[in-house]
Amino acid sequence: MVKKAVIPAAGYGTRLFPATKAIKKEFFPVVDREGRAKPLILAIAEEALSAGIESIGIVVQASDRPLFEDFFKTEPTGDYRAKLLPKYADELDALLAIGQRITMLTQDTQDGFGHAVYCAADWVAGEPFLLMLGDHVYRSNRSDSCARQIVDAYQTVGMSVIGVEAAPITDCTHRGCVTGRWRSGSSSLLDITEIYEKPTVEYAQQNLRMEGLSDEHVLAASGLYLLPPEIFRYLEDDIRHDRRDRGEFQLTTCLESLRRDRGIAAYLVNGRSFDVGQPQYYRQTIMGYGLPE
């Protein structure tokens, strides 16, 4: 059973300046299929719970901890509750119930995505865990959520799983990409032979093509990872020896080491991820995430 999810949310969100000077990226609003307006971090937490996750660790900056705790764990002051419509009062109770499942973890220095993940090592405590990007939301094309699909894939293959989606090859320069061999009889599971962070288009064309995809597409990570606790050993080794990529500790280099040692599968998610990390993608999220089925 996969019981824990980790959501890194300690970045500055500088690509969304000046909006992120006023509000944390994780609290940008999105509207779901039911027409509910909610902050991004709540949509991600609900996605985790839809996969059967019992506990969520959110990695934040120390100075931001009160903001997240106030949202998830604090009853509104004054007559705020009394002024809510009855259905929203029920949703407030549901929000506070979600808060009881959330633990705030601290990243004291912003040293990259890999470092943020490593800050959850003690809390994960030797269990497999679902890692979710703090600036992505998901819309499944099936009755089961995208996160549920990743958990089920992990239980099928018994090894680490990265959620992937077909993306235009021009997007590869700002995404992690994979290639590999499809598992026998499957059109959604593959054994990864290479993981590459933000390749050039030329590199992707020459090295990351996949059978069954057009030359204009690559398999890109969708922001969902089902990882074993051993990933922290690779992260710790990079941090101890100050091995950085682009000035920061990266997760991708450690995933590639894990792949070489133990193997990693990828699952082609039946759904779509929506990125909120840059203005042009946030616009697409606002327009597409909440579309009715």
Side-chain angles (χ1 to χ4, degrees):
M1 295 293 294
V2 181
K3 300 178 181 179
K4 294 183 176 180
V6 173
I7 306 171
Y12 290 109
T14 53
R15 291 177 297 180
L16 290 161
F17 179 85
T20 46
K21 190 176 185 298
I23 183 173
K24 292 290 295 182
K25 172 178 62 178
E26 291 77 16
F27 287 90
F28 277 26
V30 294
V31 178
D32 66 16
R33 285 176 169 177
E34 286 73 43
R36 298 166 61 219
K38 63 182 72 170
L40 176 67
I41 190 65
L42 176 58
I44 300 171
E46 289 176 341
E47 179 80 19
L49 297 176
S50 75
I53 296 298
E54 297 177 3
S55 302
I56 301 170
I58 303 179
V59 182
V60 301
Q61 296 182 39
S63 59
D64 291 331
R65 188 169 186 143
L67 174 65
F68 284 84
E69 290 185 337
D70 181 66
F71 175 72
F72 279 110
K73 298 176 178 289
T74 303
E75 176 76 24
T77 57
D79 58 354
Y80 185 95
R81 177 186 280 271
K83 291 184 176 296
L84 290 174
L85 294 174
K87 66 175 181 178
Y88 292 139
D90 292 341
E91 288 192 18
L92 174 57
D93 291 334
L95 169 62
L96 297 175
I98 291 173
Q100 295 177 7
R101 298 189 180 199
I102 291 176
T103 299
M104 299 302 167
L105 310 170
T106 302
Q107 184 185 20
D108 293 324
T109 59
Q110 279 53 62
D111 272 334
F113 182 49
H115 182 268
V117 175
Y118 181 72
C119 292
D122 290 341
W123 179 78
V124 169
E127 299 181 32
F129 65 102
L130 178 65
L131 174 64
M132 310 176 71
L133 295 186
D135 55 7
H136 279 56
V137 288
Y138 304 90
R139 191 180 72 197
S140 176
N141 295 330
R142 307 189 327 201
S143 59
D144 52 345
S145 68
C146 295
R148 177 79 255 180
Q149 293 175 42
I150 298 300
V151 172
D152 289 345
Y154 167 77
Q155 293 172 341
T156 296
V157 300
M159 62 192 303
S160 304
V161 176
I162 297 176
V164 296
E165 59 190 359
I169 200 166
T170 51
D171 287 358
C172 70
T173 55
H174 64 267
R175 301 185 68 170
C177 299
V178 309
T179 189
R181 294 180 295 270
W182 295 108
R183 290 200 162 203
S184 177
S186 177
S187 59
S188 58
L189 277 169
L190 62 144
D191 292 306
I192 296 176
T193 57
E194 183 178 1
I195 305 171
Y196 202 103
E197 181 70 17
K198 300 176 182 177
T200 64
V201 172
E202 181 181 15
Y203 185 91
Q205 288 173 332
Q206 294 177 357
N207 300 280
L208 302 178
R209 289 181 174 176
M210 275 295 303
E211 178 186 353
L213 290 187
S214 75
D215 291 345
E216 300 304 314
H217 288 81
V218 291
L219 287 181
S222 65
L224 296 168
Y225 308 79
L226 204 304
L227 300 175
E230 285 79 13
I231 191 65
F232 295 116
R233 177 166 56 86
Y234 296 96
L235 289 166
E236 181 178 16
D237 192 60
D238 273 6
I239 292 169
R240 181 186 299 117
H241 294 94
D242 199 32
R243 288 194 290 264
R244 299 170 182 255
D245 182 15
R246 302 177 181 89
E248 296 181 327
F249 298 110
Q250 301 293 344
L251 177 68
T252 304
T253 53
C254 296
L255 290 175
E256 178 61 14
S257 297
L258 178 66
R259 181 199 66 80
R260 289 194 301 265
D261 292 346
R262 301 172 62 103
I264 299 180
Y267 178 78
L268 185 59
V269 176
N270 195 328
R272 179 182 172 187
S273 69
F274 290 87
D275 186 352
V276 185
Q278 297 186 50
Q280 65 270 34
Y281 300 127
Y282 181 50
R283 182 187 293 118
Q284 293 173 6
T285 299
I286 292 297
M287 295 173 61
Y289 171 63
L291 289 177
E293 297 184 45

